[in-house]
PDB file of all heavy atoms in Angstrom:
ATOM      1  N   HIS O 293     -28.518 162.889  -4.678  1.00 93.00           N
ATOM      2  CA  HIS O 293     -28.045 161.547  -4.351  1.00 93.00           C
ATOM      3  C   HIS O 293     -26.523 161.445  -4.342  1.00 93.00           C
ATOM      4  O   HIS O 293     -25.984 160.443  -3.840  1.00 93.00           O
ATOM      5  CB  HIS O 293     -28.638 160.523  -5.323  1.00 93.00           C
ATOM      6  CG  HIS O 293     -29.478 159.486  -4.635  1.00 93.00           C
ATOM      7  ND1 HIS O 293     -30.610 159.794  -3.926  1.00 93.00           N
ATOM      8  CD2 HIS O 293     -29.328 158.137  -4.509  1.00 93.00           C
ATOM      9  CE1 HIS O 293     -31.129 158.688  -3.412  1.00 93.00           C
ATOM     10  NE2 HIS O 293     -30.363 157.675  -3.741  1.00 93.00           N
ATOM     11  N   GLN O 294     -25.836 162.448  -4.869  1.00 93.00           N
ATOM     12  CA  GLN O 294     -24.379 162.443  -4.793  1.00 93.00           C
ATOM     13  C   GLN O 294     -23.896 162.720  -3.369  1.00 93.00           C
ATOM     14  O   GLN O 294     -22.693 162.582  -3.080  1.00 93.00           O
ATOM     15  CB  GLN O 294     -23.789 163.470  -5.766  1.00 93.00           C
ATOM     16  CG  GLN O 294     -24.290 163.350  -7.194  1.00 93.00           C
ATOM     17  CD  GLN O 294     -24.272 161.920  -7.729  1.00 93.00           C
ATOM     18  OE1 GLN O 294     -23.255 161.245  -7.662  1.00 93.00           O
ATOM     19  NE2 GLN O 294     -25.404 161.468  -8.251  1.00 93.00           N
ATOM     20  N   LEU O 295     -24.834 163.076  -2.488  1.00 95.00           N
ATOM     21  CA  LEU O 295     -24.490 163.273  -1.084  1.00 95.00           C
ATOM     22  C   LEU O 295     -24.174 161.959  -0.379  1.00 95.00           C
ATOM     23  O   LEU O 295     -23.876 161.963   0.820  1.00 95.00           O
ATOM     24  CB  LEU O 295     -25.636 163.987  -0.353  1.00 95.00           C
ATOM     25  CG  LEU O 295     -25.858 165.464  -0.711  1.00 95.00           C
ATOM     26  CD1 LEU O 295     -27.135 165.978  -0.042  1.00 95.00           C
ATOM     27  CD2 LEU O 295     -24.660 166.303  -0.292  1.00 95.00           C
ATOM     28  N   TYR O 296     -24.258 160.845  -1.108  1.00 96.00           N
ATOM     29  CA  TYR O 296     -23.921 159.568  -0.479  1.00 96.00           C
ATOM     30  C   TYR O 296     -22.476 159.580   0.037  1.00 96.00           C
ATOM     31  O   TYR O 296     -22.142 158.867   0.993  1.00 96.00           O
ATOM     32  CB  TYR O 296     -24.145 158.406  -1.455  1.00 96.00           C
ATOM     33  CG  TYR O 296     -23.126 158.279  -2.559  1.00 96.00           C
ATOM     34  CD1 TYR O 296     -21.932 157.595  -2.364  1.00 96.00           C
ATOM     35  CD2 TYR O 296     -23.368 158.807  -3.814  1.00 96.00           C
ATOM     36  CE1 TYR O 296     -20.999 157.462  -3.372  1.00 96.00           C
ATOM     37  CE2 TYR O 296     -22.442 158.689  -4.840  1.00 96.00           C
ATOM     38  CZ  TYR O 296     -21.263 158.014  -4.615  1.00 96.00           C
ATOM     39  OH  TYR O 296     -20.341 157.893  -5.620  1.00 96.00           O
ATOM     40  N   VAL O 297     -21.615 160.391  -0.581  1.00 96.00           N
ATOM     41  CA  VAL O 297     -20.230 160.512  -0.112  1.00 96.00           C
ATOM     42  C   VAL O 297     -20.211 161.101   1.294  1.00 96.00           C
ATOM     43  O   VAL O 297     -19.524 160.604   2.197  1.00 96.00           O
ATOM     44  CB  VAL O 297     -19.404 161.382  -1.082  1.00 96.00           C
ATOM     45  CG1 VAL O 297     -17.983 161.552  -0.561  1.00 96.00           C
ATOM     46  CG2 VAL O 297     -19.392 160.773  -2.477  1.00 96.00           C
ATOM     47  N   VAL O 298     -20.985 162.173   1.499  1.00 97.00           N
ATOM     48  CA  VAL O 298     -21.082 162.795   2.823  1.00 97.00           C
ATOM     49  C   VAL O 298     -21.729 161.832   3.809  1.00 97.00           C
ATOM     50  O   VAL O 298     -21.306 161.736   4.971  1.00 97.00           O
ATOM     51  CB  VAL O 298     -21.896 164.103   2.736  1.00 97.00           C
ATOM     52  CG1 VAL O 298     -22.049 164.744   4.115  1.00 97.00           C
ATOM     53  CG2 VAL O 298     -21.238 165.079   1.761  1.00 97.00           C
ATOM     54  N   PHE O 299     -22.738 161.124   3.356  1.00 97.00           N
ATOM     55  CA  PHE O 299     -23.461 160.175   4.205  1.00 97.00           C
ATOM     56  C   PHE O 299     -22.528 159.087   4.735  1.00 97.00           C
ATOM     57  O   PHE O 299     -22.507 158.803   5.943  1.00 97.00           O
ATOM     58  CB  PHE O 299     -24.607 159.567   3.390  1.00 97.00           C
ATOM     59  CG  PHE O 299     -25.416 158.536   4.123  1.00 97.00           C
ATOM     60  CD1 PHE O 299     -26.191 158.883   5.216  1.00 97.00           C
ATOM     61  CD2 PHE O 299     -25.409 157.213   3.709  1.00 97.00           C
ATOM     62  CE1 PHE O 299     -26.944 157.924   5.893  1.00 97.00           C
ATOM     63  CE2 PHE O 299     -26.148 156.251   4.378  1.00 97.00           C
ATOM     64  CZ  PHE O 299     -26.924 156.613   5.471  1.00 97.00           C
ATOM     65  N   VAL O 300     -21.744 158.492   3.850  1.00 97.00           N
ATOM     66  CA  VAL O 300     -20.853 157.395   4.248  1.00 97.00           C
ATOM     67  C   VAL O 300     -19.683 157.908   5.079  1.00 97.00           C
ATOM     68  O   VAL O 300     -19.349 157.340   6.132  1.00 97.00           O
ATOM     69  CB  VAL O 300     -20.349 156.635   3.004  1.00 97.00           C
ATOM     70  CG1 VAL O 300     -19.288 155.617   3.396  1.00 97.00           C
ATOM     71  CG2 VAL O 300     -21.508 155.948   2.297  1.00 97.00           C
ATOM     72  N   LEU O 301     -19.044 158.984   4.626  1.00 97.00           N
ATOM     73  CA  LEU O 301     -17.893 159.518   5.363  1.00 97.00           C
ATOM     74  C   LEU O 301     -18.318 160.021   6.744  1.00 97.00           C
ATOM     75  O   LEU O 301     -17.622 159.787   7.748  1.00 97.00           O
ATOM     76  CB  LEU O 301     -17.233 160.638   4.570  1.00 97.00           C
ATOM     77  CG  LEU O 301     -15.979 161.256   5.198  1.00 97.00           C
ATOM     78  CD1 LEU O 301     -14.899 160.198   5.411  1.00 97.00           C
ATOM     79  CD2 LEU O 301     -15.444 162.393   4.328  1.00 97.00           C
ATOM     80  N   GLY O 302     -19.469 160.690   6.809  1.00 97.00           N
ATOM     81  CA  GLY O 302     -19.969 161.154   8.103  1.00 97.00           C
ATOM     82  C   GLY O 302     -20.247 160.006   9.047  1.00 97.00           C
ATOM     83  O   GLY O 302     -19.994 160.108  10.257  1.00 97.00           O
ATOM     84  N   LEU O 303     -20.758 158.895   8.507  1.00 97.00           N
ATOM     85  CA  LEU O 303     -21.012 157.719   9.340  1.00 97.00           C
ATOM     86  C   LEU O 303     -19.712 157.156   9.893  1.00 97.00           C
ATOM     87  O   LEU O 303     -19.637 156.781  11.081  1.00 97.00           O
ATOM     88  CB  LEU O 303     -21.742 156.655   8.524  1.00 97.00           C
ATOM     89  CG  LEU O 303     -22.018 155.330   9.239  1.00 97.00           C
ATOM     90  CD1 LEU O 303     -22.971 155.527  10.406  1.00 97.00           C
ATOM     91  CD2 LEU O 303     -22.578 154.293   8.258  1.00 97.00           C
ATOM     92  N   ALA O 304     -18.671 157.094   9.048  1.00 97.00           N
ATOM     93  CA  ALA O 304     -17.373 156.571   9.499  1.00 97.00           C
ATOM     94  C   ALA O 304     -16.781 157.441  10.600  1.00 97.00           C
ATOM     95  O   ALA O 304     -16.226 156.933  11.581  1.00 97.00           O
ATOM     96  CB  ALA O 304     -16.411 156.476   8.316  1.00 97.00           C
ATOM     97  N   LEU O 305     -16.895 158.753  10.456  1.00 97.00           N
ATOM     98  CA  LEU O 305     -16.398 159.654  11.496  1.00 97.00           C
ATOM     99  C   LEU O 305     -17.254 159.564  12.758  1.00 97.00           C
ATOM    100  O   LEU O 305     -16.756 159.760  13.870  1.00 97.00           O
ATOM    101  CB  LEU O 305     -16.388 161.099  10.977  1.00 97.00           C
ATOM    102  CG  LEU O 305     -15.507 161.395   9.751  1.00 97.00           C
ATOM    103  CD1 LEU O 305     -15.636 162.854   9.356  1.00 97.00           C
ATOM    104  CD2 LEU O 305     -14.058 161.047  10.028  1.00 97.00           C
TER     105      LEU O 305
END
Side-chain angles (χ1 to χ4, degrees):
H293 241 61
Q294 308 313 308
L295 290 173
Y296 74 85
V297 178
V298 178
F299 178 66
V300 173
L301 182 59
L303 177 65
L305 299 179

